[in-house]
Amino acid sequence: MNARDTVDIGLNRFARRGYDLDEVSIVPSRRTRDVDDVSTAWQIDAFRFDIPLVTSPSDAVVSPATAIAVGRAGGLGVLNGEGLWTRYDDPTDVYRRIAAAAAAGAPPVALLQEVYAEPVKTDLITARIKEMGEAGVTTAIRISPQHTEQLAPAALSAGVDLLVIQGTIVSAEHVTSQGDALNLKEFIADLDVPVIVGGAANYTTALHLMRTGAAGVIVGVGADTYSTTDAVMGIRVPLASAIADAAAARRDYLDETGGRYVHVIANGRIETSGAIARALACGADAVQLGEPLRAAAEAPGGGVWWDSVAAHPRLPRGGTSARIEPAGSLADVLLGEARKADGRTNLFGALARTMAKTGYSDLKEFQRVDLVIGGGAPRDGAPGQQSIGG
């Protein structure tokens, strides 16, 4: 990061300039391709996927059934290991209560806190993973860092394919005076399954998480339209810059280890096909989507959206949405023909067309596409490149 990447915000206090995805645009190259010659596939560890999608572990959009449907569509469905499906044998009545509240607008956070007060049951973690596995799709479950040592054994014994350790902010070095903290490096080293961990917000954190042995690092704090992390905690991550930082960490870690590649998964306000394309162009290998998937008819929340942190018992950091009508099936949202020109259906079909229009045949090539920042000349008035990352 050079001097022009910082801004003087007061006497001897500086802030780094960061960029959100909507400030970055993709520049076509001299070449175009036929869309049928483009591949949106990616692979993490031994698991290959047709589209670079990792679902947000929100009960609003992921049940065991929808995780299976996402897997069959070519993505990775991640079930919340601390969600409704591991707290209730049958959460149907809970979903009905949320839907009834949504009839009058956005359901209250207090309702979410009430229904999530039911304890997590490890036998349900085992049952849900086996249910997904029997369908023949890659299985993944999310567990928070503070509950990993307690709940991960049940997921591992059930044969989960990928373990996701995810919180708003996750570090490789957690300091606490309340007993022993989770040592990610030691924990991951003892596992036979690949781990995806996050979120990371900058180069240093991403690099440290890569050094734990993780197969993938989630970048971003998951902020969406309904997130209040900025208002509650003052934390906001300009995602284009965060992705570029993590991509730089990935490159340096690749050199450091002599060839070990760690995947970068972008997680934030990625709500349209254009945002997906920009996230991948900034250096992400895949995107984590939540809120856009509530438009699918199969979404268990019935068109209502809430993030997992919206139900936090002491400090909720997200709201709930009013209900929307389905835009189509899950297949329509991900890959089907779009009926509206709003970038919210055929999300990954649109990505393939962006890659074709810019001349790239696969995702790794597409990460080299030229980017431009809108808003005029660079801040120092000189022509040339502007850094969006470290």
Side-chain angles (χ1 to χ4, degrees):
M1 182 171 66
N2 56 43
R4 74 175 185 177
D5 292 315
T6 61
V7 178
D8 185 348
I9 62 171
L11 291 177
N12 203 33
R13 191 68 172 118
F14 300 90
R16 179 181 169 190
R17 174 66 168 100
Y19 296 90
D20 281 312
L21 287 177
D22 59 5
E23 297 179 86
V24 176
S25 296
I26 295 167
V27 181
S29 70
R30 62 181 176 83
R31 180 185 294 113
T32 57
R33 292 183 183 274
D34 192 286
V35 70
D36 293 330
D37 296 330
V38 168
S39 171
T40 59
W42 74 297
Q43 182 165 332
I44 182 167
D45 202 83
F47 304 102
R48 185 184 184 278
F49 303 94
D50 292 334
I51 54 176
L53 166 66
V54 178
T55 67
S56 173
S58 167
D59 293 318
V61 295
V62 182
S63 65
T66 51
I68 292 168
V70 168
R72 289 174 174 166
L76 176 64
V78 181
L79 187 72
N80 187 2
E82 300 169 36
L84 298 177
W85 293 92
T86 59
R87 296 173 189 265
Y88 297 89
D89 290 320
D90 182 358
T92 302
D93 286 341
V94 175
Y95 280 111
R96 285 175 180 155
R97 290 184 63 191
I98 293 172
V109 169
L111 172 58
L112 294 184
Q113 290 175 317
E114 177 189 340
V115 299
Y116 280 90
E118 180 73 16
V120 172
K121 301 171 182 63
T122 55
D123 61 323
L124 287 178
I125 293 177
T126 300
R128 303 311 185 196
I129 292 170
K130 288 184 176 179
E131 178 183 349
M132 295 185 292
E134 288 170 358
V137 300
T138 302
T139 59
I141 196 161
R142 172 263 179 186
I143 298 173
S144 64
Q146 58 267 40
H147 295 133
T148 294
E149 291 183 316
Q150 173 192 355
L151 300 179
L156 297 169
S157 66
V160 73
D161 293 317
L162 286 157
L163 183 65
V164 180
I165 302 175
Q166 184 176 6
T168 302
I169 299 291
V170 175
S171 70
E173 182 181 348
H174 180 66
V175 180
T176 178
S177 60
Q178 308 300 314
D180 295 331
L182 172 67
N183 185 315
L184 275 173
K185 189 169 186 178
E186 292 180 359
F187 180 81
I188 292 173
D190 291 336
L191 298 182
D192 293 327
V193 302
V195 177
I196 297 172
V197 63
N202 56 27
Y203 169 93
T204 302
T205 305
L207 182 59
H208 283 192
L209 290 177
M210 291 172 187
R211 286 171 174 164
T212 66
V217 171
I218 299 169
V219 177
V221 298
D224 54 51
T225 300
Y226 301 93
S227 171
T228 59
T229 298
D230 189 1
V232 173
M233 302 179 71
I235 295 174
R236 184 170 64 86
V237 179
L239 193 55
S241 295
I243 295 168
D245 280 358
R250 178 183 60 205
R251 178 197 62 220
D252 291 348
Y253 183 68
L254 193 69
D255 293 341
E256 178 183 304
T257 58
R260 186 174 186 275
Y261 190 93
V262 179
H263 296 266
V264 172
I265 301 165
N267 178 32
R269 191 164 290 169
I270 304 175
E271 299 172 349
T272 63
S273 52
I276 292 171
R278 288 192 290 270
L280 297 168
C282 287
D285 297 289
V287 294
Q288 188 169 49
L289 298 186
E291 189 269 338
L293 303 184
R294 72 182 174 120
E298 297 93 327
V304 181
W305 166 253
W306 66 93
D307 201 350
S308 56
V309 293
H312 194 283
R314 295 179 301 279
L315 194 68
R317 298 183 298 281
T320 57
S321 76
R323 180 182 179 275
I324 62 169
E325 291 295 326
S329 68
L330 180 66
D332 291 332
V333 172
L334 297 181
L335 293 163
E337 295 183 3
R339 297 288 185 262
K340 292 184 178 180
D342 58 1
R344 287 183 171 267
T345 50
N346 197 9
L347 295 173
F348 292 94
L351 169 64
R353 288 193 176 273
T354 299
M355 294 168 63
K357 294 293 186 184
T358 53
Y360 295 94
S361 61
D362 60 44
L363 294 177
K364 295 309 300 179
E365 285 189 359
F366 184 61
Q367 290 174 344
R368 301 197 297 268
V369 70
D370 284 342
L371 299 173
V372 65
I373 296 168
R379 286 180 298 279
D380 59 7
Q385 296 179 336
Q386 255 179 281
S387 170
I388 62 169

